Amino acid sequence: MRAPLRSPPGPGAGGHHQVLFALAECLPFALALLVLLIELTPMHVVYTGPLLVATPALAAVTLGPKGTLVAAGVAVGVSVTTATYNQAWGGQQVYTNFLALFLVTAASFITSRAARTRRESELNQVRRIATAAQEVLLRPVPDRLGPVHAASMYLAAEKGAQIGGDLYDAVQTRYGVRMIVGDVRGKGLPAVRAAAVVLGAFREAVHYEDDLVEVINHCGAALRRDAVVAGAGASTAGADDALLEAFVTALVVQIPDGPHIEVINRGHPPPLLLRNGTVQPLMPTAPLPPLGLEEFISGPPAGTDSYPFAPGDRLLLCTDGVIEARDRNSTFFDLPAAMVTMRDHPRQEFLDGLRLALLRHTQSLLADDVAIILVDRREDEGHRSAGGPK
């Protein structure tokens, strides 16, 4: 989720570090150019051997094994050029420089390759841990849940990430099928932690709370407790900031056996109902703040909203990473139109087509995580709701 009420980030520490890294990558070739300028001018009396020998060593730090070899090739080219121009062939100094350049290049290449292998091994380990965490935190939605068929999809905006700040789950309970889709403010590990807290509270409460309102309240209370713990070690101002920033937009849905659904929306994009080729957003009757911001609720506690959900209907729950996805012209992704286009597709093909359309619209540059749950009311539920056999 994008952080609201904040200006876009300017050139901060991240951009400053990128500039420094780019300068470090250019440094070996700048040294080679400096040596060339010195040797081809009257300043060639200055001994430039150490500068040229340092070129592959500097390249090994930022450019990797291939960059080290390229920098070494440039250094050799400069040495040959300057030795020829200054008619220095036959002198001991030239061959000493070549020997030193060879030794430094070999050592730099081996060191850089070993460091890259170690980094790749560590990255693979992190990815394995992230995959295991995803299986625990965001487990796939079962294909069949009571009166509905379901499918889910998750796309992380951060390149190489497996999980992020979006959350979803669908559980079959004695009260019906209960689902949640949410979006944590912010990104990174704090967002993953908040998502885990909300999902843990939801998975516990859905089985023993008969009132859907109490389920969402349980999630909000868990999030507030975790925010207090996270801010306990900080100053008073830091703790207050942690409480204000720890919020999650969430959508909780209950699907009983009857031809309707119950929805509680806490500051989240509304679910979309696809019926007879038409998409209808199920807007809340009373807007509510996100989880973690319960102090902004005024008036009596709000209840659930009920909407028709007949056999053959299709329901889509998603995070704002879908509806706020933009192309290069800042045009938003038209989710209802995409749903209508693929209305006759099976659930998994529907989600696959939606993923391709979304990536095509954004040119695979998602600005936010994407979480989707797709639900179809089973056709045989029409007989159940009419009093048929169960």
Side-chain angles (χ1 to χ4, degrees):
M1 177 192 295
R2 297 180 180 87
L5 305 179
R6 289 193 177 186
S7 57
H16 181 65
H17 291 161
Q18 291 179 357
V19 171
L20 291 179
F21 188 78
L23 291 175
E25 288 180 325
C26 296
L27 184 57
F29 304 101
L31 279 179
L33 179 61
L34 177 62
V35 170
L36 189 64
L37 292 176
I38 292 175
E39 292 292 340
L40 298 182
T41 62
M43 292 188 298
H44 69 272
V45 294
V46 178
Y47 182 48
T48 58
L51 291 178
L52 206 56
V53 169
T55 299
L58 293 173
V61 177
T62 57
L63 298 176
K66 292 183 178 179
T68 301
L69 295 179
V70 171
V74 171
V76 169
V78 171
S79 295
V80 171
T81 301
T82 56
T84 302
Y85 181 82
N86 293 321
Q87 299 180 356
W89 292 107
Q92 183 178 3
Q93 190 177 72
V94 173
Y95 299 107
T96 301
N97 289 341
F98 275 112
L99 178 60
L101 185 59
F102 172 77
L103 293 176
V104 171
T105 299
S108 300
F109 178 82
I110 293 173
T111 303
S112 179
R113 188 167 184 176
R116 171 160 293 186
T117 301
R118 184 174 64 254
R119 286 196 301 269
E120 290 177 352
S121 177
E122 293 173 351
L123 180 60
N124 289 333
Q125 183 179 7
V126 170
R127 286 174 176 169
R128 288 193 297 269
I129 295 173
T131 301
Q134 183 186 37
E135 292 175 354
V136 174
L137 183 60
L138 297 176
R139 54 199 182 197
V141 171
D143 177 71
R144 179 168 176 170
L145 288 167
V148 300
H149 290 289
S152 60
M153 180 179 73
Y154 189 93
L155 297 174
E158 186 175 353
K159 187 177 180 180
Q162 298 288 332
I163 53 179
D166 287 7
L167 58 99
Y168 67 85
D169 201 3
V171 182
Q172 186 174 358
T173 72
R174 55 181 173 171
Y175 310 108
V177 177
R178 289 177 164 179
M179 303 181 296
I180 184 172
V181 170
D183 192 353
V184 182
R185 181 189 187 187
K187 294 184 181 295
L189 291 179
V192 175
R193 171 175 173 167
V197 169
V198 173
L199 279 176
F202 172 80
R203 289 166 179 168
E204 178 186 8
V206 289
H207 291 288
Y208 68 81
E209 294 288 355
D210 58 350
D211 190 349
L212 196 62
V213 174
E214 292 302 319
V215 172
I216 197 70
N217 289 343
H218 193 78
C219 296
L223 185 66
R224 295 286 293 181
R225 286 194 302 268
D226 184 74
V228 171
V229 172
S235 62
T236 303
D240 292 341
D241 290 342
L243 289 174
L244 288 175
E245 295 196 5
F247 69 80
V248 179
T249 66
L251 187 70
V252 178
V253 177
Q254 179 170 293
I255 306 177
D257 288 336
H260 68 279
I261 58 174
E262 297 175 6
V263 179
I264 298 180
N265 192 330
R266 296 292 298 269
H268 198 77
L272 300 178
L273 179 65
L274 177 60
R275 174 185 295 156
N276 299 326
T278 302
V279 175
Q280 174 189 0
L282 305 182
M283 304 300 296
T285 56
L288 294 173
L291 301 178
L293 299 180
E294 284 75 13
E295 63 268 26
F296 294 103
I297 297 179
S298 59
T304 60
D305 293 320
S306 183
Y307 305 93
F309 188 50
D313 289 349
R314 173 166 284 180
L315 185 70
L316 185 141
L317 288 66
C318 69
T319 55
D320 59 7
V322 183
I323 61 175
E324 294 184 1
R326 306 189 188 197
D327 61 11
R328 62 173 58 185
N329 298 319
S330 295
T331 303
F332 290 109
F333 179 67
D334 194 344
L335 178 57
M339 292 177 62
V340 172
T341 300
M342 296 178 291
R343 61 184 179 276
D344 297 325
H345 288 58
R347 288 176 304 284
Q348 196 55 54
E349 292 183 13
F350 183 98
L351 289 181
D352 291 341
L354 192 61
R355 176 179 58 83
L356 291 176
L358 184 62
L359 294 178
R360 189 183 307 116
H361 182 80
T362 61
Q363 296 184 335
S364 299
L365 299 176
L366 293 174
D368 200 359
D369 299 334
V370 169
I372 296 176
I373 293 182
L374 186 66
V375 180
D376 291 341
R377 170 75 77 172
R378 288 165 46 196
E379 294 287 352
D380 57 356
E381 287 304 307
H383 300 289
R384 297 190 181 186
S385 61
K390 294 189 178 182

